[in-house]
Amino acid sequence: GIVLAKNNSRTLLVDADLGGANLHTCLGVAAPTLTLSDYVQSPSMRIEDVVVETPLRNLRLISGAQDILDIANPKYTQKVKLLRAIQQLDVEIIILDLGAGTNFNTLDFFLMADKGIVVVVPEPTSIENAYRFIKAALYRKLKLMAVEPKIRDVIDKAMDKKNAFGLRTPAELIEYITQLDSGTGERLRQEVSRFRPRLVLNQVRAFGDV
């Protein structure tokens, strides 16, 4: 966000780590008096009311909720409303800073973004968690697209490696759904082909000649 702002792009950082927001601290900004929780809970509030300036030109911030447990789990419709409001702001680039984990908030915001970026470090636990997150995001996307309750139930159960269907991979899941409903299976297959999250490998260590 800082680099983009310095390159004259009007940039907005959104601290979407609801319930654990601290992006303002990283930017040297005092804790905002109005945050996402105020906007979500107040129907009359404008999204502009929770935007704060940072010390850097072209860089603004919307702080996430702080110390309010119920806002950490907004409804899906609230998330859609929030992102639509943010998209109306006079900025060129919006960056959503998401929390770690595979809760529905993180997955939904990740999937709503134009580009999803997963940051990992060269450690086995980080790589394993990144794989789980990407798989969970894909399955969440497929479930949101599925209409029939039977198909949604299959996708839910497929997340468990010990599921009764014996499904282990997304390819096996799509094939199973295709056998149940060829039309739905094809639509989900096309969606999988378009699912292309980006990876950023941080803290890389190089040994010897590169």
Side-chain angles (χ1 to χ4, degrees), residues 128-145:
E128 183 178 6
N129 288 340
Y131 170 77
R132 289 176 178 171
F133 174 82
I134 292 172
K135 182 178 179 181
L138 176 59
Y139 280 33
R140 175 69 170 168
K141 187 177 188 68
L142 297 180
K143 182 179 177 181
L144 291 172
M145 289 190 60

PDB file of all heavy atoms in Angstrom, residues 128-145:
ATOM      1  N   GLU A 128       1.747 -25.641   4.730  1.00  0.00           N
ATOM      2  CA  GLU A 128       0.583 -26.499   4.998  1.00  0.00           C
ATOM      3  C   GLU A 128      -0.672 -25.657   5.222  1.00  0.00           C
ATOM      4  O   GLU A 128      -1.743 -25.961   4.690  1.00  0.00           O
ATOM      5  CB  GLU A 128       0.855 -27.372   6.225  1.00  0.00           C
ATOM      6  CG  GLU A 128      -0.271 -28.339   6.540  1.00  0.00           C
ATOM      7  CD  GLU A 128       0.047 -29.223   7.741  1.00  0.00           C
ATOM      8  OE1 GLU A 128       1.086 -29.013   8.384  1.00  0.00           O
ATOM      9  OE2 GLU A 128      -0.758 -30.119   8.037  1.00  0.00           O
ATOM     10  N   ASN A 129      -0.536 -24.574   6.004  1.00  0.00           N
ATOM     11  CA  ASN A 129      -1.686 -23.707   6.263  1.00  0.00           C
ATOM     12  C   ASN A 129      -2.154 -23.009   4.992  1.00  0.00           C
ATOM     13  O   ASN A 129      -3.356 -22.802   4.793  1.00  0.00           O
ATOM     14  CB  ASN A 129      -1.332 -22.668   7.337  1.00  0.00           C
ATOM     15  CG  ASN A 129      -1.221 -23.289   8.716  1.00  0.00           C
ATOM     16  OD1 ASN A 129      -1.748 -24.372   8.963  1.00  0.00           O
ATOM     17  ND2 ASN A 129      -0.542 -22.613   9.619  1.00  0.00           N
ATOM     18  N   ALA A 130      -1.200 -22.619   4.137  1.00  0.00           N
ATOM     19  CA  ALA A 130      -1.565 -21.966   2.878  1.00  0.00           C
ATOM     20  C   ALA A 130      -2.357 -22.925   1.992  1.00  0.00           C
ATOM     21  O   ALA A 130      -3.353 -22.539   1.364  1.00  0.00           O
ATOM     22  CB  ALA A 130      -0.317 -21.485   2.152  1.00  0.00           C
ATOM     23  N   TYR A 131      -1.922 -24.191   1.952  1.00  0.00           N
ATOM     24  CA  TYR A 131      -2.640 -25.187   1.160  1.00  0.00           C
ATOM     25  C   TYR A 131      -4.066 -25.364   1.691  1.00  0.00           C
ATOM     26  O   TYR A 131      -5.032 -25.392   0.921  1.00  0.00           O
ATOM     27  CB  TYR A 131      -1.904 -26.524   1.192  1.00  0.00           C
ATOM     28  CG  TYR A 131      -2.718 -27.655   0.606  1.00  0.00           C
ATOM     29  CD1 TYR A 131      -2.850 -27.799  -0.776  1.00  0.00           C
ATOM     30  CD2 TYR A 131      -3.380 -28.568   1.429  1.00  0.00           C
ATOM     31  CE1 TYR A 131      -3.614 -28.815  -1.317  1.00  0.00           C
ATOM     32  CE2 TYR A 131      -4.150 -29.585   0.897  1.00  0.00           C
ATOM     33  CZ  TYR A 131      -4.255 -29.703  -0.479  1.00  0.00           C
ATOM     34  OH  TYR A 131      -5.026 -30.719  -1.006  1.00  0.00           O
ATOM     35  N   ARG A 132      -4.187 -25.460   3.010  1.00  0.00           N
ATOM     36  CA  ARG A 132      -5.515 -25.623   3.604  1.00  0.00           C
ATOM     37  C   ARG A 132      -6.400 -24.421   3.303  1.00  0.00           C
ATOM     38  O   ARG A 132      -7.596 -24.564   3.023  1.00  0.00           O
ATOM     39  CB  ARG A 132      -5.387 -25.822   5.115  1.00  0.00           C
ATOM     40  CG  ARG A 132      -4.818 -27.171   5.511  1.00  0.00           C
ATOM     41  CD  ARG A 132      -4.642 -27.255   7.013  1.00  0.00           C
ATOM     42  NE  ARG A 132      -4.140 -28.559   7.419  1.00  0.00           N
ATOM     43  CZ  ARG A 132      -3.743 -28.847   8.653  1.00  0.00           C
ATOM     44  NH1 ARG A 132      -3.785 -27.901   9.595  1.00  0.00           N
ATOM     45  NH2 ARG A 132      -3.308 -30.057   8.952  1.00  0.00           N
ATOM     46  N   PHE A 133      -5.805 -23.220   3.368  1.00  0.00           N
ATOM     47  CA  PHE A 133      -6.589 -22.010   3.104  1.00  0.00           C
ATOM     48  C   PHE A 133      -7.082 -21.982   1.659  1.00  0.00           C
ATOM     49  O   PHE A 133      -8.250 -21.699   1.391  1.00  0.00           O
ATOM     50  CB  PHE A 133      -5.760 -20.761   3.392  1.00  0.00           C
ATOM     51  CG  PHE A 133      -6.467 -19.489   3.013  1.00  0.00           C
ATOM     52  CD1 PHE A 133      -7.399 -18.927   3.868  1.00  0.00           C
ATOM     53  CD2 PHE A 133      -6.234 -18.880   1.790  1.00  0.00           C
ATOM     54  CE1 PHE A 133      -8.081 -17.774   3.516  1.00  0.00           C
ATOM     55  CE2 PHE A 133      -6.909 -17.731   1.423  1.00  0.00           C
ATOM     56  CZ  PHE A 133      -7.835 -17.166   2.299  1.00  0.00           C
ATOM     57  N   ILE A 134      -6.186 -22.257   0.712  1.00  0.00           N
ATOM     58  CA  ILE A 134      -6.562 -22.218  -0.700  1.00  0.00           C
ATOM     59  C   ILE A 134      -7.637 -23.265  -0.996  1.00  0.00           C
ATOM     60  O   ILE A 134      -8.611 -23.004  -1.724  1.00  0.00           O
ATOM     61  CB  ILE A 134      -5.324 -22.430  -1.588  1.00  0.00           C
ATOM     62  CG1 ILE A 134      -4.389 -21.216  -1.463  1.00  0.00           C
ATOM     63  CG2 ILE A 134      -5.721 -22.650  -3.045  1.00  0.00           C
ATOM     64  CD1 ILE A 134      -3.057 -21.393  -2.149  1.00  0.00           C
ATOM     65  N   LYS A 135      -7.488 -24.444  -0.413  1.00  0.00           N
ATOM     66  CA  LYS A 135      -8.496 -25.488  -0.615  1.00  0.00           C
ATOM     67  C   LYS A 135      -9.831 -25.064  -0.009  1.00  0.00           C
ATOM     68  O   LYS A 135     -10.894 -25.229  -0.629  1.00  0.00           O
ATOM     69  CB  LYS A 135      -8.014 -26.798   0.015  1.00  0.00           C
ATOM     70  CG  LYS A 135      -8.978 -27.963  -0.196  1.00  0.00           C
ATOM     71  CD  LYS A 135      -8.420 -29.245   0.405  1.00  0.00           C
ATOM     72  CE  LYS A 135      -9.383 -30.411   0.221  1.00  0.00           C
ATOM     73  NZ  LYS A 135      -8.861 -31.664   0.826  1.00  0.00           N
ATOM     74  N   ALA A 136      -9.793 -24.489   1.197  1.00  0.00           N
ATOM     75  CA  ALA A 136     -11.022 -24.038   1.852  1.00  0.00           C
ATOM     76  C   ALA A 136     -11.682 -22.922   1.052  1.00  0.00           C
ATOM     77  O   ALA A 136     -12.915 -22.870   0.926  1.00  0.00           O
ATOM     78  CB  ALA A 136     -10.721 -23.567   3.275  1.00  0.00           C
ATOM     79  N   ALA A 137     -10.875 -22.010   0.496  1.00  0.00           N
ATOM     80  CA  ALA A 137     -11.423 -20.915  -0.312  1.00  0.00           C
ATOM     81  C   ALA A 137     -12.103 -21.463  -1.557  1.00  0.00           C
ATOM     82  O   ALA A 137     -13.191 -21.002  -1.950  1.00  0.00           O
ATOM     83  CB  ALA A 137     -10.316 -19.934  -0.681  1.00  0.00           C
ATOM     84  N   LEU A 138     -11.473 -22.436  -2.195  1.00  0.00           N
ATOM     85  CA  LEU A 138     -12.068 -23.032  -3.390  1.00  0.00           C
ATOM     86  C   LEU A 138     -13.389 -23.718  -3.061  1.00  0.00           C
ATOM     87  O   LEU A 138     -14.395 -23.524  -3.758  1.00  0.00           O
ATOM     88  CB  LEU A 138     -11.094 -24.028  -4.015  1.00  0.00           C
ATOM     89  CG  LEU A 138     -11.623 -24.807  -5.218  1.00  0.00           C
ATOM     90  CD1 LEU A 138     -12.036 -23.864  -6.338  1.00  0.00           C
ATOM     91  CD2 LEU A 138     -10.598 -25.819  -5.701  1.00  0.00           C
ATOM     92  N   TYR A 139     -13.409 -24.508  -2.000  1.00  0.00           N
ATOM     93  CA  TYR A 139     -14.635 -25.208  -1.627  1.00  0.00           C
ATOM     94  C   TYR A 139     -15.723 -24.224  -1.223  1.00  0.00           C
ATOM     95  O   TYR A 139     -16.908 -24.435  -1.516  1.00  0.00           O
ATOM     96  CB  TYR A 139     -14.351 -26.195  -0.495  1.00  0.00           C
ATOM     97  CG  TYR A 139     -13.724 -27.490  -0.959  1.00  0.00           C
ATOM     98  CD1 TYR A 139     -12.850 -27.516  -2.039  1.00  0.00           C
ATOM     99  CD2 TYR A 139     -13.988 -28.685  -0.320  1.00  0.00           C
ATOM    100  CE1 TYR A 139     -12.260 -28.689  -2.465  1.00  0.00           C
ATOM    101  CE2 TYR A 139     -13.408 -29.882  -0.738  1.00  0.00           C
ATOM    102  CZ  TYR A 139     -12.537 -29.870  -1.817  1.00  0.00           C
ATOM    103  OH  TYR A 139     -11.962 -31.039  -2.251  1.00  0.00           O
ATOM    104  N   ARG A 140     -15.344 -23.131  -0.554  1.00  0.00           N
ATOM    105  CA  ARG A 140     -16.313 -22.105  -0.177  1.00  0.00           C
ATOM    106  C   ARG A 140     -16.899 -21.462  -1.434  1.00  0.00           C
ATOM    107  O   ARG A 140     -18.101 -21.216  -1.515  1.00  0.00           O
ATOM    108  CB  ARG A 140     -15.628 -21.044   0.692  1.00  0.00           C
ATOM    109  CG  ARG A 140     -16.505 -19.832   1.060  1.00  0.00           C
ATOM    110  CD  ARG A 140     -17.608 -20.202   2.017  1.00  0.00           C
ATOM    111  NE  ARG A 140     -18.281 -19.015   2.530  1.00  0.00           N
ATOM    112  CZ  ARG A 140     -19.422 -19.046   3.201  1.00  0.00           C
ATOM    113  NH1 ARG A 140     -20.021 -20.197   3.455  1.00  0.00           N
ATOM    114  NH2 ARG A 140     -19.977 -17.926   3.657  1.00  0.00           N
ATOM    115  N   LYS A 141     -16.065 -21.207  -2.411  1.00  0.00           N
ATOM    116  CA  LYS A 141     -16.528 -20.619  -3.672  1.00  0.00           C
ATOM    117  C   LYS A 141     -17.511 -21.552  -4.368  1.00  0.00           C
ATOM    118  O   LYS A 141     -18.553 -21.112  -4.870  1.00  0.00           O
ATOM    119  CB  LYS A 141     -15.328 -20.338  -4.574  1.00  0.00           C
ATOM    120  CG  LYS A 141     -15.653 -19.564  -5.845  1.00  0.00           C
ATOM    121  CD  LYS A 141     -14.384 -19.283  -6.611  1.00  0.00           C
ATOM    122  CE  LYS A 141     -14.646 -18.353  -7.792  1.00  0.00           C
ATOM    123  NZ  LYS A 141     -15.006 -16.991  -7.357  1.00  0.00           N
ATOM    124  N   LEU A 142     -17.182 -22.836  -4.404  1.00  0.00           N
ATOM    125  CA  LEU A 142     -18.063 -23.803  -5.040  1.00  0.00           C
ATOM    126  C   LEU A 142     -19.400 -23.901  -4.308  1.00  0.00           C
ATOM    127  O   LEU A 142     -20.462 -23.987  -4.946  1.00  0.00           O
ATOM    128  CB  LEU A 142     -17.389 -25.177  -5.086  1.00  0.00           C
ATOM    129  CG  LEU A 142     -16.106 -25.278  -5.920  1.00  0.00           C
ATOM    130  CD1 LEU A 142     -15.559 -26.693  -5.860  1.00  0.00           C
ATOM    131  CD2 LEU A 142     -16.346 -24.837  -7.356  1.00  0.00           C
ATOM    132  N   LYS A 143     -19.360 -23.861  -2.994  1.00  0.00           N
ATOM    133  CA  LYS A 143     -20.603 -23.961  -2.224  1.00  0.00           C
ATOM    134  C   LYS A 143     -21.486 -22.744  -2.465  1.00  0.00           C
ATOM    135  O   LYS A 143     -22.715 -22.863  -2.567  1.00  0.00           O
ATOM    136  CB  LYS A 143     -20.291 -24.101  -0.739  1.00  0.00           C
ATOM    137  CG  LYS A 143     -21.545 -24.264   0.115  1.00  0.00           C
ATOM    138  CD  LYS A 143     -21.231 -24.421   1.591  1.00  0.00           C
ATOM    139  CE  LYS A 143     -22.521 -24.510   2.394  1.00  0.00           C
ATOM    140  NZ  LYS A 143     -22.256 -24.644   3.848  1.00  0.00           N
ATOM    141  N   LEU A 144     -20.878 -21.550  -2.544  1.00  0.00           N
ATOM    142  CA  LEU A 144     -21.662 -20.342  -2.789  1.00  0.00           C
ATOM    143  C   LEU A 144     -22.315 -20.369  -4.171  1.00  0.00           C
ATOM    144  O   LEU A 144     -23.366 -19.764  -4.384  1.00  0.00           O
ATOM    145  CB  LEU A 144     -20.775 -19.103  -2.657  1.00  0.00           C
ATOM    146  CG  LEU A 144     -20.297 -18.783  -1.239  1.00  0.00           C
ATOM    147  CD1 LEU A 144     -19.273 -17.659  -1.253  1.00  0.00           C
ATOM    148  CD2 LEU A 144     -21.479 -18.410  -0.339  1.00  0.00           C
ATOM    149  N   MET A 145     -21.689 -21.079  -5.115  1.00  0.00           N
ATOM    150  CA  MET A 145     -22.237 -21.173  -6.471  1.00  0.00           C
ATOM    151  C   MET A 145     -23.316 -22.238  -6.588  1.00  0.00           C
ATOM    152  O   MET A 145     -24.198 -22.131  -7.428  1.00  0.00           O
ATOM    153  CB  MET A 145     -21.113 -21.485  -7.465  1.00  0.00           C
ATOM    154  CG  MET A 145     -20.152 -20.348  -7.721  1.00  0.00           C
ATOM    155  SD  MET A 145     -19.088 -20.760  -9.120  1.00  0.00           S
ATOM    156  CE  MET A 145     -20.304 -20.982 -10.428  1.00  0.00           C
TER     157      MET A 145
END
